[in-house]
């Protein structure tokens, strides 16, 4: 313990603090870009799974297949598939793109489930009424169903995003400069593992805990006041 | 371009990979059981325990739910030896997974306890059930039915989570995929096959857990 | 020539037949009521007419022209003829009463907003809700919501109005305000097909009553026949049980 305290000033040197701050920003950025893209894609998948919107059954089945496949592949394995996929396709892309693509592919599958649950929480009779008024699937979705569903969709999506922030630690395996990778580098430079990994545990905690608090806050704020 | 997928080269390894899948299921099972026990104790404390104990358990759960499993295992594997606690890689992975799963299952089981309906117990009391009979015929069946689906999901999530063990050199499914990759350099083939293994593994687990739930508790909901 | 003619109409949910061989005719401006035990296919018949469930066999004709339920485009034409009011009102929860009434004419039919809004306000005044136009559905009583739903259906200027147990979900003291609204429409000469459990109202307002059971039309006749001198055993049995309380 005393040894750790001795090490502290050296560990929190100006250079190391900047290094960790950058890694923190990298983790946050990777999560934001990956989850953002993934949510948009997942939203599309969920909509394509709605029979009222997509009348063509094979497309609905493909969307379902994507969701069921990709939420069953571990993040690390998906990361490897994406990594080697880019490499063998001859696409020389930055590692950030590889990591963000993996986050997005995974987020798409899970977001699709959240969005679907939200859409299905809106009573079927709202679709019926829209249909008898000749609205058509997409219009009913936009004017009637989504305005009622988004408050049900957002909180669990935020909670899931926290899960992905944590999963980005696995991206350290391909050497992107996020928090976990930064800790490994500092560890290799001779700082004690307790300090390196302990510090980033705290940083992850700050990020995830704030996000979770925000999600809980939203859940209360958005609790449907105007629904039966 | 010019790269063609050649699955033929990796087919001899399919059995080796299946062995890894078996190990993954075992690791998941051990982590699940330990995590379940931790979760049960924590949920009981959260529900019935004295204030300081509740506070401690809440801190444990909050901490583990908000930090990455991988970093938790790094800490266990690399930092604990500095304090005289030597721990092997499989053990470190299982410990990390169990502590992590324990936090999730504490939350799940706490919610399960909270869902016991006062009215049902009162009804049992007025019918002359003893305390033990109430537990046997009213409380346990209710809890089992409420907890079965989320706990089943937890097991499947743990099965997928075992893949991080590969990072610590454990030769489970993903670890063996790394090994084969090092020998054949058929990277995309081998990792896509590993992905398929995980899909098949979890689909089978879902189906089995669904069947058990349906048979034992008449639960119709989907499992994962 | 009758305004609406159904001929040997059949429909099923998956494998279960829910309508078999239904025949029925309605004159222009006539009010026809459908009665029968629950599960007899009354509501299903209305869902078929408005195109929420496609018929398996049989024909529907409006003003002598067969109605095509085949394609989505054809269904859009069907719904310009028929409007439906549901048991559970089905108002859009995210819109005010006024917006519920104006949304289809403006968005679907593309009519000018100002003109539609004036009409909608007139319709809401007609159903007695001019003071509640900016209220959201959950701020309205069941009877008020149902009157908004009627106004919403009328805003599309349908040929035929279908009312599906519109008072069944209401508290007893709210039933009469909705029935009064329907009487008002009857006075205007609206052609209506009504599924209802309000037997006194059915008797008062209908020129013809259809008794259905097990997805079939068992007996059709003027209210006096159905309620006082039913010709079939099943209808007699049903009426006896209904009128006992």
């Amino acid at each position: 313990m005393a040894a750790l305290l001795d090490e502290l000033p050296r560990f929190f040197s100006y250079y190391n603090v900047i290094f960790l701050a950058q890694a923190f920003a990298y983790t946050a950025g990777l999560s934001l870009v990956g989850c953002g893209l993934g949510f948009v894609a997942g939203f599309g998948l969920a909509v394509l799974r709605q029979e009222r919107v997509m009348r063509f059954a094979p497309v609905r089945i493909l969307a379902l297949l994507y969701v069921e496949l990709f939420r069953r592949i571990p993040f690390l394995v998906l990361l490897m598939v994406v990594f080697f996929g880019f490499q063998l396709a001859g696409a020389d892309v930055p590692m950030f793109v590889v990591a963000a693509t993996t986050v997005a592919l995974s987020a798409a599958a899970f977001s699709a489930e959240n969005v679907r649950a939200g859409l299905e929480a809106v009573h079927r009779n709202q679709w019926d009424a829209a249909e008898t008024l000749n609205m058509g699937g997409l219009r009913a979705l936009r004017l009637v169903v989504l305005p009622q569903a988004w408050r049900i969709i957002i909180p669990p999506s935020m909670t899931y995003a926290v899960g992905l922030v944590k999963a980005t630690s696995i991206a350290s395996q391909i050497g992107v400069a996020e928090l976990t990778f930064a800790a490994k580098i500092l560890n290799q430079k001779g700082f004690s593992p307790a300090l390196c990994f302990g510090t980033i545990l705290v940083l992850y905690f700050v990020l995830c805990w704030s996000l979770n608090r925000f999600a809980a806050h939203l859940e209360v704020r958005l609790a449907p006041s105007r629904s039966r | 371009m010019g790269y063609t997928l050649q699955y033929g080269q990796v087919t001899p390894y399919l059995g080796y990979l299946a062995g890894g899948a078996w190990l993954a299921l075992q690791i998941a099972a051990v982590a699940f059981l330990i995590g379940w026990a931790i979760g049960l104790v924590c949920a009981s404390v959260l529900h019935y325990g004295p204030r300081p104990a509740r506070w401690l358990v809440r801190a444990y759960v909050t901490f583990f739910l908000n930090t990455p499993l991988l970093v938790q295992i790094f800490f266990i594997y690399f930092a604990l030896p500095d304090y005289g606690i030597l721990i092997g890689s499989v053990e470190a992975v299982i410990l990390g997974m169990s502590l992590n799963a324990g936090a999730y299952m504490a939350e799940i089981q706490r919610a399960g306890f909270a869902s016991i309906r006062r009215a049902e117990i009162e009804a049992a009391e007025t019918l002359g059930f003893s305390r033990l009979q109430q537990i046997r015929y009213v409380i346990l069946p209710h809890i089992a039915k409420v907890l079965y689906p989320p706990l089943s999901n937890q097991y499947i999530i743990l099965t997928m989570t075992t893949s991080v063990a590969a990072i610590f050199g454990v030769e489970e499914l993903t670890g063996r995929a790394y090994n084969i990759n090092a020998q054949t350099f058929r990277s995309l083939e081998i990792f896509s096959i590993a992905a398929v293994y995980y899909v098949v593994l979890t689909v089978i687990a879902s189906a089995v857990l669904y069947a058990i739930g349906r048979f034992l508790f008449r639960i119709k909901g989907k499992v994962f | 020539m009758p305004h609406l003619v159904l001929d040997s109409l059949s429909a099923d949910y998956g494998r279960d037949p829910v309508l078999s061989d239904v025949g029925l005719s309605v004159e222009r401006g006539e009010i026809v009521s459908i009665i029968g035990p629950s599960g007899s296919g009354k509501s299903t018949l209305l869902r078929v007419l408005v195109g929420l469930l496609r018929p398996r066999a049989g024909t529907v004709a409006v003003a002598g022209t067969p109605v095509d339920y085949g394609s989505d485009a054809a269904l859009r034409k069907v719904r310009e003829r028929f409007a439906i009011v549901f048991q559970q009102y089905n108002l859009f929860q995210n819109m005010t009463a006024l917006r519920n009434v104006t949304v289809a004419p403006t968005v679907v039919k593309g009519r000018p907003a100002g003109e539609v809004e004036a009409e909608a306000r007139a319709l809401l005044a007609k159903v007695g809700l001019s003071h509640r136009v900016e209220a959201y559905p959950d701020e309205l009583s069941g009877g008020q919501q149902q009157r908004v739903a009627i106004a919403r259906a009328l805003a599309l200027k349908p040929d035929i109005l279908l009312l599906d147990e519109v008072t069944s979900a209401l508290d007893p003291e709210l039933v009469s305000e909705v029935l009064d609204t329907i009487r008002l429409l009857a006075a205007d000469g609206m052609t209506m097909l009504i599924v209802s459990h309000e037997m006194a109202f059915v008797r008062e307002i209908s020129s013809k009553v259809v008794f259905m059971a097990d997805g079939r039309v068992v007996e059709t006749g003027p209210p006096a026949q159905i309620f006082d001198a039913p010709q079939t055993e099943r209808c007699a049995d049903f009426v006896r049980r209904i009128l006992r309380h």
Side-chain angles (χ1 to χ4, degrees):
Chain A
M1 207 62 202
L4 270 191
L5 284 177
D6 282 348
E7 201 183 328
L8 269 182
R10 209 159 47 80
F11 183 76
F12 287 109
S13 67
Y14 176 75
Y15 170 78
N16 282 359
V17 169
I18 298 283
F19 182 60
L20 283 169
Q22 280 173 343
F24 184 86
Y26 198 106
T27 290
L30 176 60
S31 308
L32 190 69
V33 172
C35 288
L37 290 174
F39 185 81
V40 172
F43 187 89
L45 285 168
V47 169
L48 287 179
R49 281 182 69 180
Q50 295 295 311
E51 195 176 349
R52 308 262 193 169
V53 177
M54 174 44 69
R55 294 296 169 104
F56 189 53
V59 173
R60 292 204 305 270
I61 292 168
L62 278 180
L64 168 79
L65 218 58
Y66 177 89
V67 172
E68 285 301 318
L69 281 180
F70 278 77
R71 67 197 198 97
R72 290 172 184 280
I73 301 174
F75 190 88
L76 176 58
V77 178
L78 191 57
L79 182 71
M80 290 301 135
V81 171
V82 172
F83 177 83
F84 290 115
F86 272 119
Q87 195 180 74
L88 297 178
D92 188 18
V93 295
M95 280 304 131
F96 180 84
V97 174
V98 175
T101 305
T102 310
V103 176
L105 286 173
S106 175
F110 285 92
S111 305
E113 279 297 278
N114 285 333
V115 173
R116 185 179 65 91
L119 293 181
E120 285 174 7
V122 175
H123 202 285
R124 211 174 57 99
N125 72 26
Q126 300 283 302
W127 289 99
D128 277 353
E131 193 177 339
T132 61
L133 294 175
N134 265 341
M135 270 195 196
L138 272 179
R139 202 174 250 161
L141 184 75
R142 183 168 57 83
L143 292 176
V144 177
V145 178
L146 267 186
Q148 298 180 56
W150 67 271
R151 16 174 113 232
I152 310 167
I153 294 172
I154 298 296
S157 300
M158 292 270 312
T159 309
Y160 180 68
V162 175
L164 274 179
V165 172
K166 294 191 279 176
T168 57
S169 66
I170 293 174
S172 60
Q173 284 304 102
I174 57 169
V176 294
E178 48 71 70
L179 271 177
T180 308
F181 190 71
K184 281 160 83 175
I185 297 267
L186 290 174
N187 186 212
Q188 278 161 21
K189 284 188 175 170
F191 293 105
S192 61
L195 211 46
C196 299
F197 295 113
T199 304
I200 62 161
L201 277 174
V202 171
L203 290 174
Y204 275 114
F205 183 84
V206 168
L207 186 57
C208 296
W209 186 79
S210 333
L211 277 172
N212 262 330
R213 293 303 301 172
F214 185 55
H217 169 74
L218 274 183
E219 194 165 0
V220 175
R221 274 278 314 271
L222 298 180
S225 58
R226 268 213 283 283
S227 80
R228 274 174 289 169
Chain B
M1 302 305 286
Y3 185 88
T4 40
L5 291 174
Q6 292 177 20
Y7 282 94
Q9 278 199 36
V10 292
T11 42
Y13 296 96
L14 290 182
Y16 174 69
L17 217 47
W22 176 234
L23 183 57
L25 280 177
Q26 289 174 309
I27 295 176
V30 173
F32 179 85
L33 286 176
I34 302 175
W36 181 61
I38 296 174
L40 188 61
V41 171
C42 290
S44 310
V45 170
L46 283 175
H47 213 69
Y48 307 105
R51 189 176 288 269
R54 284 208 313 256
W55 194 87
L56 261 178
V57 168
R58 182 83 1 255
Y60 154 68
V61 171
T62 309
F63 179 78
F64 275 84
L65 290 189
N66 287 295
T67 48
L69 170 67
L70 178 62
V71 185
Q72 292 159 11
I73 304 176
F74 270 136
F75 191 92
I76 293 167
Y77 190 58
F78 292 115
L80 292 190
D82 286 356
Y83 303 93
I85 307 168
L86 281 172
I87 189 165
S89 55
V90 184
E91 290 79 6
V93 168
I94 290 181
L95 180 59
M97 282 179 65
S98 304
L99 286 171
N100 204 54
Y104 277 96
M105 287 195 265
E107 274 295 310
I108 291 169
Q109 295 182 92
R110 188 195 54 75
F113 291 172
S115 77
I116 299 170
R117 275 155 300 189
R118 189 73 224 142
E120 259 182 64
I121 298 175
E122 276 167 6
E125 262 166 32
T126 60
L127 290 172
F129 281 58
S130 72
R131 187 75 192 142
L132 262 179
Q133 284 171 326
Q134 286 172 31
I135 292 173
R136 161 78 180 77
Y137 291 101
V138 181
I139 297 176
L140 280 183
H142 169 81
I143 290 196
K145 197 167 178 161
V146 170
L147 291 185
Y148 185 81
L151 289 180
S152 305
N153 283 351
Q154 203 58 43
Y155 179 72
I156 291 169
I157 291 168
L158 278 174
T159 308
M160 294 195 287
T161 309
T162 52
S163 68
V164 300
I167 295 173
F168 299 87
V170 179
E171 296 190 336
E172 43 61 74
L173 183 43
T174 308
R176 290 192 179 190
Y178 274 117
N179 289 348
I180 301 167
N181 182 40
Q183 286 172 29
T184 64
F185 299 106
R186 290 282 152 200
S187 317
L188 191 55
E189 290 89 335
I190 196 62
F191 282 106
S192 58
I193 288 177
V196 170
Y197 266 71
Y198 279 104
V199 171
V200 172
L201 211 57
T202 56
V203 166
I204 292 173
S206 290
V208 169
L209 289 169
Y210 171 80
I212 294 174
R214 179 130 197 185
F215 178 70
L216 286 182
F217 311 113
R218 279 178 285 117
I219 297 169
K220 297 204 185 73
K222 175 183 168 192
V223 172
F224 200 79
Chain C
M1 184 175 56
H3 192 45
L4 168 67
V5 181
L6 319 187
D7 188 24
S8 23
L9 200 62
S10 299
D12 36 25
Y13 280 127
R15 247 174 254 113
D16 308 326
V18 281
L19 287 181
S20 330
D21 213 15
V22 171
L24 176 64
S25 71
V26 183
E27 300 291 335
R28 181 176 285 281
E30 192 183 16
I31 295 169
V32 174
S33 292
I34 307 171
I35 62 170
S38 60
S40 58
K42 312 178 298 270
S43 294
T44 307
L45 177 58
L46 299 193
R47 288 179 75 85
V48 168
L49 287 178
V50 81
L52 283 175
L53 177 66
R54 292 197 183 178
R56 184 171 43 76
T59 58
V60 175
V62 177
T65 317
V67 175
D68 176 8
Y69 287 98
S71 66
D72 284 358
L75 280 178
R76 273 195 287 282
K77 289 222 178 60
V78 169
R79 290 169 188 147
E80 294 187 357
R81 298 260 184 191
F82 293 102
I84 188 166
V85 181
F86 299 94
Q87 179 178 356
Q88 296 290 348
Y89 347 121
N90 303 13
L91 288 182
F92 300 134
Q93 299 293 310
N94 57 318
M95 301 177 189
T96 61
L98 183 64
R99 185 67 182 143
N100 261 284
V101 180
T102 58
V103 67
T106 52
V107 174
V108 178
K109 290 203 166 170
R111 294 178 49 205
E115 184 186 315
V116 169
E117 186 177 326
E119 281 180 21
R121 284 181 187 277
L123 279 170
L124 285 167
K126 184 171 183 175
V127 299
L129 288 171
S130 46
H131 59 300
R132 299 294 277 154
V133 292
E134 295 301 337
Y136 282 90
D138 69 338
E139 298 164 350
L140 297 170
S141 73
Q144 290 174 328
Q145 289 190 57
Q146 195 56 292
R147 285 183 282 150
V148 175
I150 291 172
R152 181 174 72 176
L154 293 174
L156 287 169
K157 301 179 178 160
D159 273 354
I160 299 163
L161 187 62
L162 311 173
L163 303 175
D164 184 9
E165 304 199 28
V166 292
T167 57
S168 300
L170 299 178
D171 291 335
E173 74 273 18
L174 301 177
V175 168
S176 63
E177 63 187 60
V178 172
L179 296 185
D180 284 344
T181 303
I182 300 171
R183 287 188 185 98
L184 218 58
L185 303 182
D188 287 352
M190 187 80 207
T191 310
M192 287 187 273
L193 199 51
I194 301 177
V195 169
S196 181
H197 289 300
E198 299 288 334
M199 292 306 158
F201 176 73
V202 164
R203 183 174 194 143
E204 162 209 327
I205 203 164
S206 321
S207 50
K208 186 155 71 188
V209 177
V210 176
F211 172 71
M212 285 183 72
D214 299 331
R216 294 172 181 280
V217 172
V218 176
E219 186 171 342
T220 305
Q225 174 196 323
I226 297 291
F227 290 114
D228 299 331
Q231 309 285 302
T232 58
E233 191 52 43
R234 291 204 66 171
C235 184
D237 197 44
F238 176 76
V239 167
R240 210 178 308 123
R241 259 184 278 171
I242 286 283
L243 295 185
R244 202 158 31 188
H245 46 257

